[in-house]
């Protein structure tokens, strides 16, 4: 065995089984497009990675002296368990993506929380899939496609990806190679403009109902996975359901966004992850403040043990909503129980937590809760 040959998987421990968070070391950085890089990590203890295609990890970083949490979908497949990759688009003016692009090199150690999420083909096995993505929303669907290819599955897959120009298509060459090798895979690209590729032979414009129906006439027969900016997903979901797709066959990732020119789409089409946090704040604050305050008086007391702050939380409010209303800003991101960024320990009391895969059963047994989807049933104390 040489130094470049990974150890046999038999007997190796699985990363994340025992820790809520641990260090990973960067093994490689690969330029994917002019503004997208793939970062590949390994466990310093040679642990294997076990996850479902489509799941995400959360990085805990210190950027300019400030601790930040960011979730990124794993772009590598679980069928290659010795390493784990994320693929990140640099967002001009962003906080985390420029830092990753400029700072992380082979040998860099990062603190990472293990994979989470329910957006996965492994939870919805089917014979026919439709993968729809825009921009860096391609990453979970790439993990799914790579997994199907590695496992030799013969599921019928149509993969339709939208980008600004041909130069912005992430994983373009790899998808072309996979399509050439596997007759079960058909790839269609939709670009807003041809850019510097006048001979572009793919679709030009936006993915709307007629374009989607023309490209995939049997989409109502497929299990559909969608990831991209919210306006893109809203438009796609409406088009598919209006065309007869059963709602239970539609699945979308809701917290991974990037800037994307969508022409006539609403102005908030260019949301990035930082914007998402602001949207969460705004949503929490957008209700009737007087009514919320009155409701809180009839609700429960919430004690934050680290900060020493005490607030009131209405019976129909989540703890995160009540915290924002009180002017507090605990770490959070998706506000939907998906990403796990607001995870903390319930010290005392009871809550009704309706999450969407952002916390593990083992963590729930340990008394962890997600503030964004937990409503107090009694007075509570949380570690925040």
């Amino acid at each position: 065995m040489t130094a470049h040959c990974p150890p046999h998987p038999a007997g190796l421990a699985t990363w994340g089984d025992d820790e809520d968070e641990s260090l990973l070391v960067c093994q490689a950085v690969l330029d994917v497009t002019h503004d997208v890089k793939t970062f590949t990590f390994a466990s310093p203890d040679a642990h294997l990675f076990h996850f479902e295609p489509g799941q995400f990890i959360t990085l805990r970083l210190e950027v300019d002296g400030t601790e930040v949490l960011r979730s990124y979908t794993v772009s590598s497949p679980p069928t290659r368990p010795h390493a784990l990759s994320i693929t990140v688009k640099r967002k001009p003016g962003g906080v985390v993506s420029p830092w990753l692009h400029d700072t992380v090199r082979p040998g860099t150690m990062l603190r990472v929380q293990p994979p989470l999420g329910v957006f996965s083909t492994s939870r919805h096995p089917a014979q026919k899939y439709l993968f729809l993505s825009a921009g860096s929303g391609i990453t979970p669907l790439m993990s799914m496609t790579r997994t199907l290819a590695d496992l030799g599955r013969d599921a019928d897959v149509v993969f339709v990806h939208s980008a600004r120009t041909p130069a912005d298509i992430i994983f373009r060459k790899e998808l072309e190679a996979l399509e050439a090798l596997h007759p079960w895979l058909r790839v269609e690209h939709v670009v807003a403009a041809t850019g510097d590729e006048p001979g572009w032979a793919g679709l030009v414009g936006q993915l709307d109902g007629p374009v989607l129906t023309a490209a995939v006439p049997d989409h109502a027969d497929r299990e559909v996975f969608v990831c991209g900016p919210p306006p893109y997903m809203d438009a796609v979901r409406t088009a598919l359901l209006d065309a007869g797709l059963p709602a239970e066959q539609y699945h979308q990732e809701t917290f991974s966004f990037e800037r994307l020119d969508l022409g006539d789409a609403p102005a908030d089409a260019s949301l990035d992850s930082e914007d998402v946090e602001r949207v969460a704040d705004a949503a929490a604050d957008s209700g009737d403040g007087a009514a919320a305050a009155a409701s809180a008086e009839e609700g429960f007391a919430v004690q934050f043990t680290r900060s020493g702050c005490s607030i009131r939380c209405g019976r129909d409010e989540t703890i995160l909503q009540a915290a924002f209303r009180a002017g507090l800003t605990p770490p959070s991101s998706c506000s939907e129980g998906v990403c796990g960024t607001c995870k903390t320990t319930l010290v005392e009391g009871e809550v009704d937590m309706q999450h969407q895969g952002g916390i593990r059963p083992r963590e729930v047994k340990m008394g962890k809760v997600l503030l964004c989807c937990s409503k107090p049933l009694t007075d509570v104390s949380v570690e925040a």
Side-chain angles (χ1 to χ4, degrees), residues 46-352:
H47 289 175
L48 298 176
F49 295 99
H50 178 68
F51 58 94
E52 300 174 36
Q55 289 191 312
F56 62 89
I57 57 174
T58 299
L59 312 183
R60 184 185 298 275
L61 309 170
E62 184 171 328
V63 179
D64 297 331
T66 300
E67 183 179 87
V68 292
L69 293 165
R70 283 291 186 277
S71 298
Y72 291 97
T73 304
V74 180
S75 54
S76 56
T79 43
R80 307 168 197 174
H82 290 284
L84 177 150
S85 298
I86 60 174
T87 300
V88 181
K89 179 183 175 66
R90 176 191 284 271
K91 296 181 176 68
V95 175
V96 175
S97 63
W99 185 90
L100 290 170
H101 276 237
D102 297 338
T103 306
V104 176
R105 300 287 183 271
T108 301
M109 305 283 282
L110 298 182
R111 297 203 67 83
V112 183
Q113 298 175 3
L116 283 173
V118 298
F119 181 73
S120 178
T121 46
S122 65
R123 302 191 178 216
H124 304 281
Q127 284 300 310
K128 298 176 73 173
Y129 290 108
L130 172 57
F131 295 162
L132 299 171
S133 62
S136 59
I138 195 173
T139 54
L141 306 178
M142 197 63 192
S143 179
M144 297 175 192
T145 303
R146 287 166 165 163
T147 301
L148 292 169
D150 284 355
L151 294 177
R153 300 290 170 81
D154 59 355
D156 180 337
V157 178
V158 180
F159 196 146
V160 182
H161 176 64
S162 298
R164 283 179 290 190
T165 71
D168 294 300
I169 297 174
I170 302 170
F171 304 128
R172 180 179 177 181
K173 291 184 178 178
E174 183 177 351
L175 282 171
E176 290 174 351
L178 287 169
E179 184 181 28
L181 286 171
H182 302 290
W184 49 262
L185 175 64
R186 179 163 65 89
V187 179
E188 298 280 357
H189 293 300
V190 183
V191 297
T194 57
D196 296 329
E197 193 166 316
W200 171 255
L203 299 170
V204 180
Q206 295 184 36
L207 186 66
D208 55 18
V211 171
L212 185 56
T213 298
V216 194
D218 63 343
H219 55 65
D221 298 330
R222 297 175 178 271
E223 204 76 19
V224 181
F225 288 81
V226 183
C227 188
Y232 167 84
M233 292 192 293
D234 290 345
V236 166
R237 185 176 190 275
T238 298
L240 287 169
L241 297 185
D242 286 350
L245 178 76
E248 61 271 20
Q249 291 175 213
Y250 179 90
H251 316 281
Q252 70 177 33
E253 182 68 282
T254 59
F255 74 98
S256 179
F257 314 120
E258 67 143 359
R259 295 181 184 279
L260 179 72
D261 184 3
L262 295 176
D264 296 329
D268 62 354
S270 60
L271 285 169
D272 62 12
S273 57
E274 285 75 27
D275 292 324
V276 171
E277 292 189 7
R278 289 196 289 274
V279 169
D281 291 356
D285 290 335
S286 62
D288 185 331
S295 173
E297 290 306 313
E298 299 176 355
F300 302 101
V302 178
Q303 174 75 33
F304 295 93
T305 59
R306 286 182 185 167
S307 66
C309 294
S310 294
I311 64 172
R312 299 291 299 181
C313 183
R315 294 178 183 274
D316 293 327
E317 273 187 312
T318 67
I319 296 175
L320 185 64
Q321 288 173 320
F324 283 142
R325 184 171 47 75
L328 305 178
T329 56
S332 65
S333 184
C334 73
S335 75
E336 296 179 340
V338 176
C339 73
T341 304
C342 61
K343 188 189 317 174
T344 188
T345 299
L346 179 66
V347 179
E348 187 175 2
E350 298 180 19
V351 300
D352 175 23

Side-chain angles (χ1 to χ4, degrees), residues 300-302 313 317-320 344-354 359 364 367-382:
F300 302 101
V302 178
C313 183
E317 273 187 312
T318 67
I319 296 175
L320 185 64
T344 188
T345 299
L346 179 66
V347 179
E348 187 175 2
E350 298 180 19
V351 300
D352 175 23
M353 180 170 60
Q354 301 294 327
I359 190 169
V364 175
K368 301 287 186 181
V369 295
L370 301 180
L371 299 182
C372 71
C373 58
S374 293
K375 297 179 180 178
L377 298 174
T378 66
D379 291 346
V380 299
S381 296
V382 295

